[in-house]
Amino acid sequence: MRLRGCSIAGLGSYAPERILTNADLEKIVDTTDEWIVTHTGMKERHIIADDQNCSDLAMEASKVALDDAGMEAKDLELIIVGTVTSDTLFPSASAVLEHKLGANRAATFDMVTGCTAFVDGIVTGAQFIQVGGYDNVLVVAAEALTRITNWEDRSTCVLFGDGAGAVILQPDEPGKGLLSYVMDTQGFAGEFLSLPSSGSAWPPDEKALAENATKIYMNGHEIFKMAVRGVPDIARQAMKKADVTSADIDWVVMHQANKRILEAAADRLGIDREKVVCNIEKYGNTSAASMGLALDEIYRDGRLQTGDLVLLVGFGAGFCLSATVLRWEK
Ligand code: ACO
């Protein structure tokens, strides 16, 4: 069977209005603007409003992507939402979004793969397109991370922000759009980044609340090392599968977790740092949403041009790594 191509036909993102600056954080925990900037590159992050939920962020980004593709929600056949902060564990984030958008024809499911979910969602949605199952797929990565942030832990609370990114996937000519993907999980490292009391192993109880176990736990040092080692490796594998080299890549859009990780990965890959999109200073780490926000930024400001070769690399909880190479056909 000859597979169809799959391209991004619409793109959108959304960040809530309220901004939390490093100066604001100085009033909450024992930290400084200087420490945050030098260790992470972050200056401010957007925070979800009290009357918003994760599905609202997803909806705003989806509307922009639908508009960009010239489509209506009723045309959607499949909605995939990547998030670890869905409004509720069930109904799923994608089912909630289907209702809010009025996308009554669409099938739905979630990807709970953390910071790789934007890539995982695109790769998964593309499979349905490539075999001819669906023609209109919405992939949204949305996070309300500040709802599960431990505001007493200065080593994590300075990092996170909220937002959403969305793409519409549609069929294209064979060989166009998505060129390759590689996904990997190193489950032995799962303990380094987790939400300890969040499932059936430890349902949230008084002890969990007292110990902040319903909030993000991260061993930043270990995750940093795994990212700096793993990102160049998975990126090289994805480029090899696409039969391209670092020199061919026009843009690298990586999970925005730490500016130092972006720079280290760029240097190890031999890719000019200017080609590595970095908007971490404005949004912080928005987990799954970060790559959608970054890709949308270079699309909206005109840096991303038709025909550009884009390398997307996600990494995070699991420990998971996902990379894809795609040709920007819009
Ligand atoms: N302000 C001031 N001092 C701080 C702060 C803070 N906010 N946080 C930690 N420190 C202190 C520590 O206590 C430590 O002090 P000590 O030496 O007296 O013990 C010192 O700074 C250094 O701490 P480290 O943890 O070694 O700092 P590091 O340079 O590793 O930076 C960071 C920490 C930013 C978390 C980094 O490890 C990192 O980015 N890790 C990767 C995170 C990541 O990639 N996550 C991706 C997936 S997670 C997700 O996206 C949801």
Side-chain angles (χ1 to χ4, degrees), residues 34-87:
E34 198 264 337
W35 191 97
I36 301 171
V37 172
T38 53
H39 284 75
T40 71
M42 297 168 189
K43 293 183 179 160
E44 55 190 38
R45 59 291 286 149
H46 292 246
I47 307 287
I48 192 166
D50 291 343
D51 61 356
Q52 285 179 313
N53 284 315
C54 184
S55 59
D56 299 309
L57 311 188
M59 185 178 63
E60 295 300 336
S62 302
K63 282 186 190 165
V64 182
L66 282 165
D67 191 48
D68 189 46
M71 280 174 61
E72 292 182 41
K74 64 176 173 50
D75 301 325
L76 292 170
E77 294 159 292
L78 175 65
I79 299 174
I80 302 173
V81 176
T83 185
V84 293
T85 49
S86 48
D87 299 2

Side-chain angles (χ1 to χ4, degrees), residues 29-32 35-36 39-40 115 145 154-156 158-160 193 216 218-225 227 255-258 260-261 285-287 315-317 319:
V29 284
D30 180 15
T31 192
T32 60
W35 191 97
I36 301 171
H39 284 75
T40 71
C115 312
L145 279 189
R154 70 174 179 172
S155 70
T156 56
V158 301
L159 305 175
F160 302 121
L193 178 52
I216 299 172
M218 181 170 75
N219 181 332
H221 204 61
E222 290 299 330
I223 294 286
F224 191 95
K225 283 193 292 185
H255 172 43
Q256 309 280 303
N258 188 315
R260 291 184 293 145
I261 295 176
N285 177 347
T286 57
S287 187
F315 58 92
F319 180 79

Side-chain angles (χ1 to χ4, degrees), residues 278-302:
C278 178
N279 62 4
I280 203 164
E281 66 280 1
K282 287 188 281 186
Y283 300 105
N285 177 347
T286 57
S287 187
S290 82
M291 297 171 69
L293 282 159
L295 186 63
D296 194 38
E297 182 164 313
I298 59 169
Y299 173 55
R300 302 273 155 198
D301 69 18

Side-chain angles (χ1 to χ4, degrees), residues 260-277:
R260 291 184 293 145
I261 295 176
L262 302 184
E263 291 173 348
D267 295 349
R268 287 183 185 204
L269 286 167
I271 294 179
D272 192 342
R273 287 185 183 185
E274 306 270 292
K275 293 182 174 177
V276 178
V277 183

Side-chain angles (χ1 to χ4, degrees), residues 166-230:
V167 296
I168 304 289
L169 301 177
Q170 285 182 346
D172 208 330
E173 291 164 34
K176 285 202 153 194
L178 189 87
L179 302 181
S180 73
Y181 61 85
V182 182
M183 299 154 95
D184 182 39
T185 299
Q186 300 168 11
F188 69 87
E191 65 184 278
F192 296 141
L193 178 52
S194 69
L195 199 59
S197 170
S198 58
S200 57
W202 185 2
D205 56 13
E206 277 184 24
K207 182 169 174 286
L209 290 174
E211 294 177 12
N212 272 322
T214 57
K215 308 293 182 189
I216 299 172
Y217 165 79
M218 181 170 75
N219 181 332
H221 204 61
E222 290 299 330
I223 294 286
F224 191 95
K225 283 193 292 185
M226 301 216 43
V228 169
R229 267 191 236 121

